[in-house]
mmCIF file of all heavy atoms in Angstrom:
data_model
loop_
_atom_site.group_PDB
_atom_site.id
_atom_site.type_symbol
_atom_site.label_atom_id
_atom_site.label_comp_id
_atom_site.label_asym_id
_atom_site.label_seq_id
_atom_site.Cartn_x
_atom_site.Cartn_y
_atom_site.Cartn_z
ATOM 1 N N ILE B 364 -65.094 -14.391 -24.314
ATOM 2 C CA ILE B 364 -63.937 -14.943 -25.009
ATOM 3 C C ILE B 364 -62.854 -13.878 -25.068
ATOM 4 O O ILE B 364 -63.056 -12.808 -25.622
ATOM 5 C CB ILE B 364 -64.330 -15.376 -26.436
ATOM 6 C CG1 ILE B 364 -65.506 -16.362 -26.372
ATOM 7 C CG2 ILE B 364 -63.137 -16.026 -27.135
ATOM 8 C CD1 ILE B 364 -65.982 -16.847 -27.715
ATOM 9 N N GLY B 365 -61.705 -14.172 -24.451
ATOM 10 C CA GLY B 365 -60.590 -13.226 -24.507
ATOM 11 C C GLY B 365 -59.845 -13.382 -25.814
ATOM 12 O O GLY B 365 -59.840 -14.453 -26.408
ATOM 13 N N TYR B 366 -59.183 -12.318 -26.267
ATOM 14 C CA TYR B 366 -58.665 -12.326 -27.625
ATOM 15 C C TYR B 366 -57.367 -11.533 -27.706
ATOM 16 O O TYR B 366 -57.257 -10.438 -27.187
ATOM 17 C CB TYR B 366 -59.760 -11.720 -28.522
ATOM 18 C CG TYR B 366 -59.386 -11.375 -29.933
ATOM 19 C CD1 TYR B 366 -58.730 -12.282 -30.753
ATOM 20 C CD2 TYR B 366 -59.740 -10.138 -30.461
ATOM 21 C CE1 TYR B 366 -58.435 -11.949 -32.067
ATOM 22 C CE2 TYR B 366 -59.451 -9.806 -31.769
ATOM 23 C CZ TYR B 366 -58.793 -10.715 -32.570
ATOM 24 O OH TYR B 366 -58.501 -10.390 -33.870
ATOM 25 N N LEU B 367 -56.374 -12.136 -28.318
ATOM 26 C CA LEU B 367 -55.119 -11.434 -28.591
ATOM 27 C C LEU B 367 -54.955 -11.373 -30.105
ATOM 28 O O LEU B 367 -54.709 -12.389 -30.733
ATOM 29 C CB LEU B 367 -53.959 -12.221 -27.964
ATOM 30 C CG LEU B 367 -52.587 -11.554 -27.941
ATOM 31 C CD1 LEU B 367 -52.588 -10.350 -27.024
ATOM 32 C CD2 LEU B 367 -51.530 -12.535 -27.479
ATOM 33 N N PRO B 368 -55.136 -10.209 -30.694
ATOM 34 C CA PRO B 368 -55.135 -10.119 -32.152
ATOM 35 C C PRO B 368 -53.758 -10.382 -32.758
ATOM 36 O O PRO B 368 -52.742 -10.292 -32.075
ATOM 37 C CB PRO B 368 -55.569 -8.683 -32.437
ATOM 38 C CG PRO B 368 -55.749 -8.014 -31.139
ATOM 39 C CD PRO B 368 -55.338 -8.918 -30.051
ATOM 40 N N GLN B 369 -53.726 -10.733 -34.056
ATOM 41 C CA GLN B 369 -52.462 -10.999 -34.740
ATOM 42 C C GLN B 369 -51.606 -9.745 -34.790
ATOM 43 O O GLN B 369 -50.445 -9.750 -34.428
ATOM 44 C CB GLN B 369 -52.737 -11.511 -36.155
ATOM 45 C CG GLN B 369 -51.462 -11.779 -36.942
ATOM 46 C CD GLN B 369 -51.732 -12.575 -38.217
ATOM 47 O OE1 GLN B 369 -52.852 -12.619 -38.698
ATOM 48 N NE2 GLN B 369 -50.715 -13.221 -38.736
ATOM 49 N N GLN B 370 -52.203 -8.685 -35.296
ATOM 50 C CA GLN B 370 -51.495 -7.412 -35.280
ATOM 51 C C GLN B 370 -52.471 -6.392 -34.746
ATOM 52 O O GLN B 370 -53.540 -6.232 -35.299
ATOM 53 C CB GLN B 370 -51.109 -6.985 -36.686
ATOM 54 C CG GLN B 370 -49.911 -7.697 -37.214
ATOM 55 C CD GLN B 370 -49.862 -7.590 -38.714
ATOM 56 O OE1 GLN B 370 -50.878 -7.397 -39.371
ATOM 57 N NE2 GLN B 370 -48.680 -7.733 -39.263
ATOM 58 N N THR B 371 -52.090 -5.728 -33.685
ATOM 59 C CA THR B 371 -52.958 -4.661 -33.253
ATOM 60 C C THR B 371 -52.468 -3.429 -33.973
ATOM 61 O O THR B 371 -51.342 -3.013 -33.797
ATOM 62 C CB THR B 371 -52.843 -4.439 -31.736
ATOM 63 O OG1 THR B 371 -52.438 -5.651 -31.158
ATOM 64 C CG2 THR B 371 -54.135 -3.986 -31.152
ATOM 65 N N VAL B 372 -53.320 -2.906 -34.808
ATOM 66 C CA VAL B 372 -52.901 -1.722 -35.534
ATOM 67 C C VAL B 372 -53.146 -0.505 -34.658
ATOM 68 O O VAL B 372 -53.902 0.389 -35.000
ATOM 69 C CB VAL B 372 -53.646 -1.580 -36.878
ATOM 70 C CG1 VAL B 372 -52.880 -2.262 -37.971
ATOM 71 C CG2 VAL B 372 -55.050 -2.116 -36.782
ATOM 72 N N VAL B 373 -52.512 -0.525 -33.493
ATOM 73 C CA VAL B 373 -52.608 0.629 -32.619
ATOM 74 C C VAL B 373 -51.701 1.704 -33.192
ATOM 75 O O VAL B 373 -50.543 1.446 -33.495
ATOM 76 C CB VAL B 373 -52.158 0.271 -31.199
ATOM 77 C CG1 VAL B 373 -52.143 1.507 -30.332
ATOM 78 C CG2 VAL B 373 -53.075 -0.765 -30.613
ATOM 79 N N GLN B 374 -52.262 2.873 -33.344
ATOM 80 C CA GLN B 374 -51.491 3.940 -33.951
ATOM 81 C C GLN B 374 -50.251 4.227 -33.125
ATOM 82 O O GLN B 374 -50.261 4.112 -31.911
ATOM 83 C CB GLN B 374 -52.333 5.219 -34.050
ATOM 84 C CG GLN B 374 -53.528 5.076 -34.927
ATOM 85 C CD GLN B 374 -54.724 4.565 -34.160
ATOM 86 O OE1 GLN B 374 -54.571 4.019 -33.088
ATOM 87 N NE2 GLN B 374 -55.908 4.763 -34.703
ATOM 88 N N ARG B 375 -49.201 4.610 -33.801
ATOM 89 C CA ARG B 375 -47.940 4.816 -33.110
ATOM 90 C C ARG B 375 -48.014 5.938 -32.086
ATOM 91 O O ARG B 375 -47.266 5.957 -31.122
ATOM 92 C CB ARG B 375 -46.831 5.115 -34.123
ATOM 93 C CG ARG B 375 -46.137 3.845 -34.597
ATOM 94 C CD ARG B 375 -44.945 4.140 -35.470
ATOM 95 N NE ARG B 375 -44.108 5.186 -34.923
ATOM 96 C CZ ARG B 375 -43.836 6.322 -35.562
ATOM 97 N NH1 ARG B 375 -44.320 6.527 -36.756
ATOM 98 N NH2 ARG B 375 -43.072 7.228 -35.024
ATOM 99 N N ASP B 376 -48.933 6.866 -32.298
ATOM 100 C CA ASP B 376 -48.970 8.012 -31.382
ATOM 101 C C ASP B 376 -50.097 7.905 -30.357
ATOM 102 O O ASP B 376 -50.460 8.882 -29.745
ATOM 103 C CB ASP B 376 -49.099 9.314 -32.185
ATOM 104 C CG ASP B 376 -50.291 9.279 -33.122
ATOM 105 O OD1 ASP B 376 -50.917 8.202 -33.237
ATOM 106 O OD2 ASP B 376 -50.599 10.310 -33.731
ATOM 107 N N PHE B 377 -50.679 6.711 -30.181
ATOM 108 C CA PHE B 377 -51.815 6.614 -29.264
ATOM 109 C C PHE B 377 -51.373 6.773 -27.814
ATOM 110 O O PHE B 377 -50.558 6.007 -27.315
ATOM 111 C CB PHE B 377 -52.511 5.263 -29.417
ATOM 112 C CG PHE B 377 -53.938 5.274 -28.945
ATOM 113 C CD1 PHE B 377 -54.968 5.246 -29.852
ATOM 114 C CD2 PHE B 377 -54.238 5.348 -27.597
ATOM 115 C CE1 PHE B 377 -56.282 5.277 -29.424
ATOM 116 C CE2 PHE B 377 -55.553 5.394 -27.165
ATOM 117 C CZ PHE B 377 -56.580 5.352 -28.085
ATOM 118 N N PRO B 378 -51.895 7.796 -27.129
ATOM 119 C CA PRO B 378 -51.514 7.948 -25.731
ATOM 120 C C PRO B 378 -52.371 7.042 -24.856
ATOM 121 O O PRO B 378 -53.568 7.241 -24.737
ATOM 122 C CB PRO B 378 -51.829 9.424 -25.452
ATOM 123 C CG PRO B 378 -52.952 9.744 -26.381
ATOM 124 C CD PRO B 378 -52.860 8.818 -27.562
ATOM 125 N N ALA B 379 -51.770 6.018 -24.276
ATOM 126 C CA ALA B 379 -52.522 5.152 -23.378
ATOM 127 C C ALA B 379 -51.540 4.469 -22.455
ATOM 128 O O ALA B 379 -50.507 3.982 -22.892
ATOM 129 C CB ALA B 379 -53.309 4.112 -24.165
#
Side-chain angles (χ1 to χ4, degrees):
Chain B
I364 305 180
Y366 169 50
L367 189 67
Q369 179 167 20
Q370 282 161 336
T371 334
V372 269
V373 175
Q374 297 88 342
R375 270 187 45 239
D376 54 353
F377 202 107

